């Protein structure tokens, strides 16, 4: 009796293992690339699917967007400044068959391509562009990565530079440059104000000079402003006629 059960147990175990291998289950975000005797078949979508036991082999691919932080890269800008920069990359698999059959360890391959592309993008840019126009650098890096990984069945959703470190001496130089620019703007604004003020004063002087009583009215207004301050200033007033006579006497002589 016991030998008979042992003989029957072996086929039952084989059938059970074969039954477990006849189907697979994918999550909504998974795709299964099926190999039948080494030849690739159409990928299987979400849900359950049938396999031929001991003939088919399924490799699952996650199609969700992957967020990857790139290691800090030390490189030199186009104008010869050493910088340290890192970035964040978002990518996903769009062609599961190519992801499995074209490249080995596709996520690592994308990482290496991104780090190389980041160094190349920095090397093609000036320091001022890195500091003021990162969007252009991001777009340039995006184009380089898209061209590199599209053959692997991968798409780049976005790439953004996160941190940029420059030497301390260069930081001081940038600070001095910014201070000089602000001082230049302040002097220009002050000069423009003095120019406008002088034009207004010249216009006021011409207006006062064209009227005989305007100068006297202005003098009286000045006296009222001085008196409003309650100071002890002593003011000596001279008649306007005396001043006019002095001007005539001091006129040009033949």
């Amino acid at each position: 009796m016991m030998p008979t059960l042992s003989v029957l147990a072996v086929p039952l175990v084989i059938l059970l293992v074969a039954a477990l291998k006849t189907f697979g289950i994918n999550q909504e975000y998974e795709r299964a690339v099926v190999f039948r005797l080494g030849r690739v078949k159409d990928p299987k979508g979400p849900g359950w699917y049938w396999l031929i036991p001991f003939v088919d082999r399924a490799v699952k691919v996650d199609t969700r967007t992957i967020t990857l932080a790139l290691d800090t890269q030390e490189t030199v800008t186009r104008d010869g400044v050493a910088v340290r920069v890192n970035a964040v990359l978002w990518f996903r698999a769009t062609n599961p068959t190519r992801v499995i059959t074209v490249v080995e360890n596709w996520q690592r391959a994308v990482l290496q391509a991104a780090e190389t592309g980041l160094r190349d993008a920095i090397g093609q840019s000036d320091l001022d562009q890195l500091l003021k126009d990162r969007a252009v650098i991001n777009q340039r890096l995006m184009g380089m990565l898209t061209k590199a990984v599209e053959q692997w069945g991968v798409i780049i959703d976005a790439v953004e530079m996160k941190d940029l470190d420059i030497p301390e001496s260069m930081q001081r130089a940038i600070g001095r440059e910014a201070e000089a620019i602000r001082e230049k703007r302040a002097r220009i604004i002050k000069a423009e104000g003095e120019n406008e003020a002088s034009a207004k004063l010249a216009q006021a002087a011409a207006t006062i000079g064209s009227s005989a009583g305007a100068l006297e009215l202005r003098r009286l207004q000045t006296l009222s402003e001085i008196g409003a301050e309650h100071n002890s200033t002593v003011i000596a007033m001279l008649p306007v006629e005396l001043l006019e006579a002095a001007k005539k006497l001091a006129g040009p002589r033949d």
Side-chain angles (χ1 to χ4, degrees):
M1 187 67 178
M2 294 299 295
T4 302
L5 292 177
S6 300
V7 172
L8 292 176
V10 175
L12 289 175
V13 171
I14 295 175
L15 290 174
L16 180 60
V17 173
L20 293 176
K21 289 182 174 293
T22 56
F23 69 94
I25 299 177
N26 286 337
Q27 302 298 324
E28 184 66 30
Y29 52 84
E30 290 179 329
R31 301 295 183 270
V33 180
V34 178
F35 292 88
R36 182 164 297 169
L37 296 177
R39 292 184 176 275
V40 66
K41 309 298 289 184
D42 293 334
K44 304 297 182 180
W48 63 274
Y49 54 92
W50 292 102
L51 296 171
I52 301 177
F54 308 107
V55 175
D56 291 346
R57 180 176 65 90
V59 180
K60 293 185 177 182
V61 177
D62 194 329
T63 60
R64 291 177 294 182
T65 298
I66 299 173
T67 303
L68 189 63
L70 304 183
D71 294 334
T72 301
Q73 304 296 311
E74 297 184 4
T75 185
V76 179
T77 62
R78 185 169 58 184
D79 50 353
V81 180
V83 297
R84 302 175 72 250
V85 61
N86 56 20
V88 181
L89 177 66
W90 292 267
F91 63 97
R92 55 189 170 88
T94 57
N95 191 327
T97 301
R98 295 188 67 83
V99 163
I100 298 299
T101 59
V102 174
V103 61
E104 180 184 5
N105 195 343
W106 65 281
Q107 295 185 16
R108 180 174 177 80
V110 172
L111 172 61
Q112 295 297 323
E115 291 179 348
T116 303
L118 180 60
R119 290 193 294 268
D120 292 343
I122 298 301
Q124 297 175 11
S125 307
D126 296 331
L127 180 61
D128 288 342
Q129 192 175 18
L130 289 176
L131 295 174
K132 301 176 183 178
D133 201 358
R134 291 192 182 184
V136 175
I137 310 298
N138 293 334
Q139 288 296 327
R140 181 182 303 167
L141 180 57
M142 181 83 170
M144 297 171 63
L145 289 180
T146 299
K147 185 177 180 180
V149 305
E150 63 182 0
Q151 58 182 333
W152 302 335
V154 180
I155 187 172
I156 305 297
D157 288 332
V159 59
E160 296 285 343
M161 285 196 306
K162 186 170 62 173
D163 296 322
L164 176 64
D165 295 332
I166 60 177
E168 186 176 353
S169 58
M170 185 58 64
Q171 295 180 18
R172 292 195 296 269
I174 293 174
R176 290 194 298 270
E177 179 184 1
E179 184 178 356
I181 291 174
R182 288 193 296 269
E183 184 176 356
K184 173 185 175 182
R185 291 176 180 174
R187 290 184 177 181
I188 291 175
I189 293 173
K190 183 178 179 181
E192 290 177 350
E194 291 179 352
N195 186 28
E196 293 180 2
S198 62
K200 294 296 184 181
L201 288 174
Q203 183 180 358
T207 302
I208 293 175
S210 62
S211 178
L215 183 61
E216 184 64 23
L217 292 175
R218 180 56 183 159
R219 184 183 292 108
L220 293 175
Q221 183 180 359
T222 303
L223 290 175
S224 64
E225 292 175 355
I226 295 174
E229 297 178 359
H230 303 287
N231 51 32
S232 58
T233 304
V234 178
I235 301 174
M237 296 292 295
L238 294 176
V240 177
E241 291 78 5
L242 182 59
L243 295 177
E244 293 295 334
K247 287 181 181 179
K248 292 178 180 180
L249 293 174
R253 297 179 179 178
D254 295 334

